[in-house]
């Protein structure tokens, strides 16, 4: 698979440089069960991306408006997300993922498990963070096993970079937390370096 950034065909593209993506939209077949979950549970759990400031709590049911909101970036197939939401019913989880089968899988888990503390935005989490979420609106962030981009020339694609962490911290409430996990030691070292440099 060619994972290099596609070159723009538009003239004078320098004035509008494209942001380097930390992910590649990989092909994956959505199962019949996942597709049905879109149809049955989509209206309840899916929320549209919109490039305007939105209080995260407003994406949940009115009776959950006072609950703290945790942003989860890239939940994969949603197994861990559903488990955490189940054991922390007093927290809301705003979950971003671009992989359609994964979104369908979490929709199924959330619907069948009656997890009303989950909402999903099927969009690039960085754009959600930059354009939707106001400062001091999140109680926490979960980033579990982001793509490590092993090759040195691809390290610029890694999600955990100083600019992103600064934006994350600006959106955390006082006492908020960031929880990151990776199974790739060089990436773990970079994560620690970037986090330790953020005041």
């Amino acid at each position: 698979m060619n994972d290099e950034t596609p070159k723009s065909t538009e003239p004078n593209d320098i004035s509008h440089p494209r942001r380097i993506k930390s992910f590649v939209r990989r092909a994956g077949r959505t199962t019949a069960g996942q597709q049905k979950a879109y149809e049955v549970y989509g209206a309840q759990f899916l929320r549209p991306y919109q490039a305007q400031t939105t209080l995260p709590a407003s994406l949940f049911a009115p009776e959950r408006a006072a609950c703290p909101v945790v942003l989860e970036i890239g939940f994969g197939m949603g197994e861990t997300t559903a488990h955490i939401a189940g054991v922390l019913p007093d927290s809301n989880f705003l979950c971003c993922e671009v992989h359609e089968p994964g979104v369908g899988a979490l929709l199924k888990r959330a619907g069948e498990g009656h997890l009303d503390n989950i909402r999903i935005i099927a969009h690039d989490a960085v754009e959600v963070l930059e354009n939707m979420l106001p400062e001091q609106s999140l109680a926490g962030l979960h980033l579990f096993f982001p793509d490590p981009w092993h090759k040195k020339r691809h390290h610029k694609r890694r999600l955990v970079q100083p600019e992103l962490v600064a934006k994350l911290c600006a959106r955390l409430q006082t006492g908020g937390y960031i929880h990151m996990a990776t199974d790739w030691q060089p990436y773990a070292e970079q994560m620690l370096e970037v986090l330790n440099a953020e005041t």
Side-chain angles (χ1 to χ4, degrees):
M1 176 184 293
N2 179 6
D3 53 15
E4 294 295 335
T5 303
K7 294 180 180 176
S8 172
T9 58
E10 298 179 41
N12 303 321
D13 196 47
I14 295 174
S15 61
H16 299 285
R18 292 186 177 184
R19 179 174 56 82
I20 296 173
K21 299 282 188 179
S22 65
F23 62 90
V24 172
R25 290 184 186 270
R26 295 179 171 85
R29 190 177 73 83
T30 303
T31 67
Q34 292 163 359
Q35 185 57 47
K36 185 176 180 181
Y38 272 96
E39 298 166 4
V40 175
Y41 301 118
Q44 179 180 357
F45 296 104
L46 285 174
R47 294 295 178 265
Y49 165 75
Q50 47 192 8
Q52 65 182 40
T53 303
T54 304
L55 286 174
S58 69
L59 301 174
F60 296 81
E63 60 269 21
R64 300 196 57 83
C67 296
V69 179
V70 176
L71 176 67
E72 178 156 354
I73 298 179
F75 54 76
M77 298 305 285
E79 183 176 2
T80 299
T81 303
H83 174 74
I84 293 174
V87 298
L88 296 175
D90 293 330
S91 292
N92 290 331
F93 294 88
L94 181 60
C95 310
C96 296
E97 177 60 70
V98 297
H99 187 54
E100 288 185 12
V103 173
L106 183 55
L107 281 171
K108 189 172 187 295
R109 296 179 196 278
E112 293 178 352
H114 306 288
L115 300 173
D116 197 42
N117 58 341
I118 286 178
R119 292 295 181 269
I120 302 168
I121 299 178
H123 194 81
D124 180 355
V126 175
E127 292 185 359
V128 171
L129 182 74
E130 292 177 341
N131 301 320
M132 280 188 71
L133 304 182
E135 293 189 359
Q136 299 182 28
S137 62
L138 298 172
L141 165 84
H142 292 174
L143 177 61
F144 301 141
F145 305 98
D147 194 325
W149 293 103
H150 303 92
K151 296 179 181 178
K152 188 173 183 179
R153 69 176 185 271
H154 292 157
H155 285 184
K156 62 187 177 183
R157 292 179 174 272
R158 287 179 172 173
L159 185 60
V160 182
Q161 304 286 352
E163 182 181 7
L164 177 72
V165 170
K167 291 175 181 177
L168 286 171
C169 289
R171 282 155 181 81
L172 286 178
Q173 299 163 348
T174 301
Y177 69 91
I178 294 177
H179 185 162
M180 297 182 180
T182 179
D183 54 4
W184 186 252
Q185 183 172 336
Y187 198 5
E189 292 169 355
Q190 179 187 330
M191 286 178 172
L192 288 172
E193 181 180 348
V194 172
L195 290 169
N196 285 330
E198 173 56 53
T199 57

